[in-house]
Amino acid sequence: MTNIPNRETFENAYSGKAPWDIGKPQPALVAIADKVTGSVLDSGCGTGENALFFAERGHKVTGVDYLREPIERAKQKAVERGVQATFLVIDALQLDSVPEQFDTVIDSGLFHGFPDEDRKRYVAGLAGVTKPGGRVFLACFSNEEPGEVGPRRISRMDLRTAFADGWTVESIEPIRFEVRADMPELGFSPGGPKAWLATIRRL
Ligand SMILES: C[S@@+](CC[C@H](N)C(=O)[O-])C[C@H]1O[C@@H](n2cnc3c(N)ncnc32)[C@H](O)[C@@H]1O
């Protein structure tokens, strides 16, 4: 995986083993589940494990991803598990096409893949889909994760800069991403890639 992944990078990942596709929600999101309120948008939802986790907890959840393949898998899981959730093929750089505002947005591993110019566009789009007073929970690779495998590393300052206008960054906590256990060749830190979980409130 290159540091700036593109559509083909993700298509290739989903045609084989996608490191992040662990068949369950990310533990760092499970840990803050009680802080999640109201309706939830999962931006870059992949095959939907995080979205389905929050749907099972009773939230009205919409998951969006720009690839059809993971969205189809997410829909299939929802049917198999008898969970109600909406999954849509939508480019997160065009969130203005989402006709709704949400109390909570989760982003597990999307933000860190964007180049600078798309990062600005993405955050502007997030502002449009997050209700005033609503929160974004954003998990991204940390600058404390060594090496270059995987996505761009993000610093606390990068997060504060990206969300400087129209948002309050309430906290940025160190977490670990869980990745597939059968891909040790990726060489991430023992315990999983070091990451940040940012909690960001829309003003
Ligand atoms: C690292 S994966 C994380 C997937 C999921 N959030 C998870 O935790 O399993 C990033 C996801 O974002 C999607 N993605 C990348 N760029 C996107 C974009 N511009 N709009 C929507 N989805 C995008 C990819 O297809 C991929 O499913």
Side-chain angles (χ1 to χ4, degrees):
M1 188 151 170
T2 58
N3 278 9
I4 304 282
N6 58 24
R7 188 179 278 265
E8 197 183 352
T9 316
F10 288 112
E11 283 170 348
N12 288 339
Y14 285 117
S15 69
K17 293 194 291 188
W20 56 86
D21 201 21
I22 56 173
K24 61 179 184 175
Q26 280 293 329
L29 290 177
V30 173
I32 54 89
D34 287 344
K35 293 184 181 172
V36 168
T37 58
S39 57
V40 175
L41 173 68
D42 184 357
S43 183
C45 65
T47 68
E49 291 294 342
N50 298 318
L52 290 167
F53 168 72
F54 287 108
E56 280 169 9
R57 286 176 63 92
H59 296 277
K60 179 171 178 274
V61 178
T62 300
V64 301
D65 201 285
Y66 71 172
L67 295 185
R68 191 162 298 280
E69 172 64 28
I71 287 294
E72 288 306 319
R73 290 193 212 168
K75 285 182 178 172
Q76 184 65 31
K77 287 182 193 175
V79 171
E80 286 167 6
R81 298 178 195 180
V83 178
Q84 175 61 44
T86 302
F87 289 104
L88 303 170
V89 178
I90 285 182
D91 189 332
L93 294 176
Q94 293 172 354
L95 285 177
D96 51 357
S97 62
V98 178
E100 197 180 333
Q101 283 194 313
F102 297 84
D103 298 291
T104 299
V105 178
I106 54 175
D107 172 331
S108 178
L110 175 59
F111 173 88
H112 62 200
F114 288 130
D116 290 352
E117 59 276 17
D118 287 348
R119 195 182 282 181
K120 286 191 185 130
R121 196 167 146 200
Y122 177 55
V123 172
L126 282 178
V129 292
T130 308
K131 287 182 187 171
R135 282 192 176 122
V136 175
F137 295 93
L138 189 158
C140 61
F141 260 57
S142 158
N143 53 309
E144 294 183 355
E145 175 61 18
E148 294 194 346
V149 174
R152 275 175 96 178
R153 281 31 172 181
I154 304 287
S155 68
R156 282 188 153 109
M157 186 54 74
D158 291 333
L159 287 162
R160 293 195 183 282
T161 301
F163 289 91
D165 296 326
W167 305 85
T168 299
V169 178
E170 293 184 332
S171 63
I172 302 174
E173 300 293 336
I175 58 159
R176 297 300 183 104
F177 271 122
E178 184 167 334
V179 293
R180 288 180 61 129
D182 59 353
M183 299 182 80
E185 69 277 14
L186 293 173
F188 293 129
S189 292
K194 294 179 181 174
W196 301 119
L197 180 67
T199 302
I200 307 157
R201 186 182 286 278
R202 175 95 176 95
L203 296 176

